Amino acid sequence: MASLLEQLPYQALVLLGSALVTVFKSIAFVQEGQRGVKLRFGKAVRYRTGKNAGQPKIVDPGFVFMIPFIDKLQRRHVRQETIRLDYQKIMFKDGMIFQVSAMLLFTVTDVFKAMFEIDDLNDAVETFGLAILREELSSRNHKDLADHEKIGKALLDRISQKGEEWGVKFHAFKLTDCSPTVETEQLVLMETGVPLKTQALQGAANELGCKILQLNSQLGAVLLGFPLVGAVGTEKPAKVGASRDEKDDGSD
């Protein structure tokens, strides 16, 4: 073979090489799980007749014949994708601050829109998802986190409005973690722990025969070892038995 090539004139070798390149350039391949759009002179090839007239031709998996140096094939996978939204500090409507992470599941349904109607689909989904997550949670109280399913549905409804425009279908928008910051954690513990421990303190006082007329959250927090600055309440000071003034008034 080598000797045969040596015997061929230079022009013939050039023509043979050009023919091989032309054949190679005339065939492209779309893999399973992908769809493609053929571009001719930079424009999408479209249907000329029929019910899809004017619509871009979507190339299914398999071999595709191309016009060398004129056609170009753009591919995009259409399998289900997951976008993970990293931890974000979000302040809820009640002032509590949490570190929140989430995940988005979606599938490309319109390859042409996904590739040409928006620049970098995945980056756009992540950016828009973070914005919606922040807006939705900042309008709620932190106690709403008890119902992750309800919040996830609200988030999914909001981001799905972009689905048709971007050529995607969103399947889920789920919160994966919601952790209070160090400062918020103390407030959450007080919010749940103080009422329970206050009830226990009142029960113990009743068993001992001590008379507690009123025990508010501030006094309860102090008695139970929580800092006073963290005990938010508007109740009047507690009355334990009779006050000194009341005793003095009675003696006069």
Side-chain angles (χ1 to χ4, degrees):
M1 183 67 180
S3 60
L4 180 61
L5 291 176
E6 290 176 357
Q7 295 175 6
L8 290 174
Y10 176 76
Q11 292 82 358
L13 291 176
V14 172
L15 290 175
L16 179 60
S18 299
L20 291 175
V21 171
T22 300
V23 171
F24 179 77
K25 289 280 189 180
S26 65
I27 299 177
F29 186 74
V30 178
Q31 296 182 353
E32 189 67 38
Q34 293 182 333
R35 296 295 184 272
V37 175
K38 186 189 294 185
L39 303 179
R40 183 163 294 161
F41 296 113
K43 295 182 179 181
V45 176
R46 299 174 181 270
Y47 293 99
R48 295 184 179 181
T49 60
K51 63 179 182 179
N52 295 324
Q55 297 296 320
K57 289 184 178 180
I58 305 301
V59 181
D60 294 324
F63 288 101
V64 185
F65 292 98
M66 315 281 288
I67 300 177
F69 308 106
I70 295 178
D71 289 346
K72 183 179 180 181
L73 185 65
Q74 295 275 45
R75 306 173 185 84
R76 183 46 158 96
H77 69 81
V78 292
R79 297 181 294 271
Q80 182 170 287
E81 299 182 60
T82 301
I83 298 291
R84 301 188 181 278
L85 306 181
D86 292 334
Y87 284 95
Q88 299 288 313
K89 265 188 179 181
I90 299 178
M91 176 181 290
F92 285 76
K93 186 170 65 175
D94 53 11
M96 299 293 193
I97 303 176
F98 280 71
Q99 293 273 13
V100 181
S101 63
M103 64 183 293
L104 270 163
L105 300 177
F106 70 96
T107 304
V108 172
T109 56
D110 189 321
V111 175
F112 181 79
K113 287 184 178 180
M115 289 194 297
F116 300 106
E117 292 294 333
I118 187 169
D119 182 29
D120 196 338
L121 175 64
N122 287 40
D123 184 63
V125 169
E126 181 179 357
T127 302
F128 192 63
L130 286 171
I132 287 180
L133 180 65
R134 184 175 297 277
E135 289 176 6
E136 182 66 27
L137 294 186
S138 62
S139 67
R140 294 174 175 267
N141 294 321
H142 80 282
K143 291 183 179 180
D144 293 338
L145 290 174
D147 193 346
H148 277 205
E149 184 175 348
K150 183 178 180 180
I151 293 179
K153 185 178 183 305
L155 292 170
L156 181 61
D157 290 343
R158 292 187 61 176
I159 200 169
S160 293
Q161 297 174 9
K162 282 288 185 180
E164 178 65 23
E165 180 181 341
W166 292 347
V168 302
K169 178 178 177 56
F170 292 98
H171 303 291
F173 196 151
K174 298 181 179 180
L175 300 180
T176 55
D177 190 23
C178 300
S179 304
T181 60
V182 176
E183 298 79 9
T184 298
E185 185 177 12
Q186 296 298 319
L187 296 176
V188 172
L189 289 174
M190 288 175 52
E191 184 180 50
T192 57
V194 169
L196 294 176
K197 292 185 177 182
T198 300
Q199 292 177 8
L201 182 60
Q202 289 175 331
N206 292 336
E207 291 180 2
L208 294 175
C210 297
K211 187 178 180 181
I212 300 181
L213 301 181
Q214 181 183 356
L215 184 62
N216 63 18
S217 60
Q218 290 182 342
L219 179 57
V222 173
L223 293 176
L224 296 170
F226 291 96
L228 182 60
V229 293
V232 179
T234 58
E235 302 97 335
K236 296 179 180 180
K239 294 182 179 180
V240 181
S243 66
R244 181 182 297 274
D245 293 339
E246 291 174 347
K247 290 184 178 181
D248 292 343
D249 292 342
S251 60
D252 293 342

